[in-house]
Amino acid sequence: MFSKGKIKQLCTIGMLSWGALHANTSYSYQSDLLSLSNENVSIAVSPKAGGELASIEVKHLNEWHELLYKGKDYIPKKGWRGKAPLLWPATGATTLDGLSKKGVKRGQYKVNKHIYSMPFHGFAQNLHWRLLNKNHNSIALSIEDTAETQKQFPFGFKVDVKYELRDRQLLIQYNIFAKAANTSSMPFSIGNHITFNAPLLNTSSINDFKFSTPCQQRVERNSQGFPTGNLTSNQLIGIKSMKDLPERKSISLTDCGDDKKVTLLDSSGLNVDISHFATHWPKQPVIEYNMWASEAFGFISPEPWVGAQNSLNSRYGLIELLPGEQWQWSIKIDINEN
C-alpha cells in the first residue's frame, strides 16, 4: 500500500504527464497546420484537430488580421477553445431522459433497441482526419468509421470536407456517405461551431460591432435547452448589436429563407457573410443558426446547423440516409470591404 504522501506524489506526476502530453499534442496541432493563401485571404486547417478550420486571416488596409477567435491557438486554456470545430453526428447534448446535466459531456441514444453513448456535439471534432488532396486553392480531408466509432455510432460512414479559397471567399463543402453495408438508415445532425472575434478587428470597438440575420423564427426550447417542437417569432431580425445577444446563451434560429445568411458588421468597414445550403433539409423544427456570443470574452459564433439539440432522440432536425446514399452540406464565407 502507498502512503497518502506517495499517492499524492503519483497523482501529481500523472497530472503533470497528462498536462505535458496535452501541451505537446496542442503544439503538434499547430505545427501540422495546412495553409492556403492569396493576396487577400489566408486560411489554415488542422487535420489532427478534427479537420477543423483553424484560421482565417484577411488583408485589410495593408495589414493582416486574424478573424477567428483563438485562431491557430492550440495551447490549452480554460474557456471556449474557439476556431471552427465540426459538430457531427450530433449537435448539442444527447440524452435519453430529456434532462440536461450540467458538466456532463456524454449522453445516450437508442438505435434498434440498443443504447449507445454520444459525446456533446458528436465525435468528428476529436478524430484525426486524413489528407486526400491539397493544391494551390483547396484542401480535402476525410474520415471513415472504425471499430472505435462503431462502439458509439453503429454505422459505416465516410465524411469528406473540402476547403476551397476563391479570392475573398471560402467555400467549405462536406459530403456525408452512408455505406451500402449498413442495415438501416443512418441518422445524424450537423453543424459548424465557427467563432469569430467580436469585433472582427482588435482596433475596432465592440460597442459599434453589429450583426444581421433574415431568419424569421426561433426554435423554442424548454428549460433543459431542448427543442419543444414549436416555433416563435425572431426578435433579432435585421441589424442588431452585440448587446442584443444574451451572454453565452444560445439562440436557435430558423426560417432563414433561401439565402440562409448571417452578416457580421465591423465598424472598420470589414464585413463577413456566412451562408449555408444543403442537398435537402429535414422538416421543421430544424435549427439553421445556433447563435452564441460573449461580449465579455469578445466572440460571436453564428453556428450554422442542420440539426437540433438531442436530435438523435427527439428526431428533430435529423437527416437520415439510406444505405448507399450521400448528402452534401456547404458553408460559404464571404469577406467584404465597404
Side-chain angles (χ1 to χ4, degrees):
M1 297 291 290
F2 292 119
S3 66
K4 289 183 179 179
K6 184 64 174 177
I7 292 173
K8 183 176 181 181
Q9 181 184 11
L10 290 172
C11 289
T12 302
I13 292 171
M15 290 173 67
L16 289 173
S17 299
W18 180 89
L21 175 62
H22 194 58
N24 289 337
T25 301
S26 70
Y27 284 120
S28 75
Y29 291 161
Q30 189 170 26
S31 63
D32 291 339
L33 293 180
L34 303 175
S35 299
L36 297 173
S37 62
N38 57 37
E39 61 182 11
N40 296 309
V41 179
S42 176
I43 72 162
V45 173
S46 177
K48 287 187 177 179
E52 71 177 350
L53 179 66
S55 170
I56 303 176
E57 293 179 279
V58 60
K59 191 174 185 181
H60 179 65
L61 300 178
N62 294 319
E63 291 188 12
W64 287 91
H65 302 270
E66 175 63 67
L67 299 186
L68 291 193
Y69 182 68
K70 296 186 179 178
K72 294 183 182 176
D73 184 357
Y74 285 99
I75 299 174
K77 300 181 182 73
K78 289 184 178 180
W80 171 231
R81 59 182 289 273
K83 294 172 281 298
L86 173 66
L87 315 181
W88 189 85
T91 47
T94 299
T95 172
L96 272 175
D97 58 13
L99 299 177
S100 178
K101 301 169 181 64
K102 188 175 182 180
V104 176
K105 294 298 184 182
R106 182 176 288 273
Q108 295 180 322
Y109 69 106
K110 189 178 291 186
V111 175
N112 297 328
K113 299 182 180 180
H114 294 283
I115 293 176
Y116 297 89
S117 68
M118 178 61 61
F120 189 85
H121 283 329
F123 54 75
Q125 62 180 309
N126 302 319
L127 300 180
H128 288 193
W129 289 55
R130 178 170 58 94
L131 177 63
L132 295 179
N133 182 57
K134 183 181 185 300
N135 57 36
H136 71 283
N137 70 337
S138 69
I139 297 169
L141 307 172
S142 183
I143 53 172
E144 289 191 64
D145 62 287
T146 65
E148 288 304 309
T149 66
Q150 290 272 348
K151 292 176 183 178
Q152 52 193 331
F153 191 61
F155 300 97
F157 66 83
K158 184 170 181 282
V159 181
D160 295 341
V161 62
K162 181 180 179 182
Y163 297 91
E164 186 175 354
L165 191 58
R166 307 171 174 174
D167 191 25
R168 302 180 73 86
Q169 180 187 93
L170 172 63
L171 183 66
I172 308 172
Q173 183 173 290
Y174 297 97
N175 284 294
I176 316 293
F177 301 87
K179 290 187 175 179
N182 289 342
T183 57
S184 62
S185 62
M186 184 179 80
F188 62 88
S189 53
I190 192 168
N192 190 299
H193 211 318
I194 188 166
T195 309
F196 293 87
N197 291 316
L200 294 174
L201 306 189
N202 57 17
T203 53
S204 302
S205 169
I206 197 166
N207 295 324
D208 300 319
F209 182 70
K210 301 183 185 301
F211 69 96
S212 70
T213 170
C215 303
Q216 299 288 321
Q217 299 186 85
R218 292 188 189 185
V219 174
E220 185 181 87
R221 288 155 53 191
N222 62 23
S223 61
Q224 298 296 313
F226 299 132
T228 64
N230 299 322
L231 305 180
T232 58
S233 61
N234 175 29
Q235 303 302 313
L236 293 174
I237 193 168
I239 297 176
K240 300 293 181 180
S241 71
M242 279 286 289
K243 295 184 183 299
D244 293 314
L245 291 172
E247 178 70 18
R248 281 169 289 168
K249 184 178 180 181
S250 65
I251 296 175
S252 300
L253 303 179
T254 192
D255 191 13
C256 302
D258 294 336
D259 207 13
K260 301 191 189 307
K261 182 171 68 175
V262 168
T263 301
L264 308 181
L265 303 155
D266 194 271
S267 60
S268 66
L270 192 68
N271 301 330
V272 175
D273 291 329
I274 303 101
S275 55
H276 66 115
F277 41 98
T279 303
H280 64 267
W281 289 76
K283 65 181 182 180
Q284 291 288 4
V286 55
I287 296 170
E288 298 174 26
Y289 284 98
N290 197 58
M291 297 283 293
W292 186 64
S294 172
E295 185 177 359
F297 287 90
F299 66 72
I300 184 167
S301 184
E303 284 191 71
W305 281 20
V306 183
Q309 296 85 354
N310 203 28
S311 61
L312 292 174
N313 288 307
S314 71
R315 319 303 285 184
Y316 293 144
L318 203 65
I319 298 289
E320 296 194 62
L321 297 184
L322 294 173
E325 284 189 333
Q326 69 179 69
W327 181 81
Q328 186 179 97
W329 182 52
S330 299
I331 301 171
K332 188 172 65 171
I333 300 169
D334 289 290
I335 303 168
N336 309 299
E337 291 181 305
N338 288 343

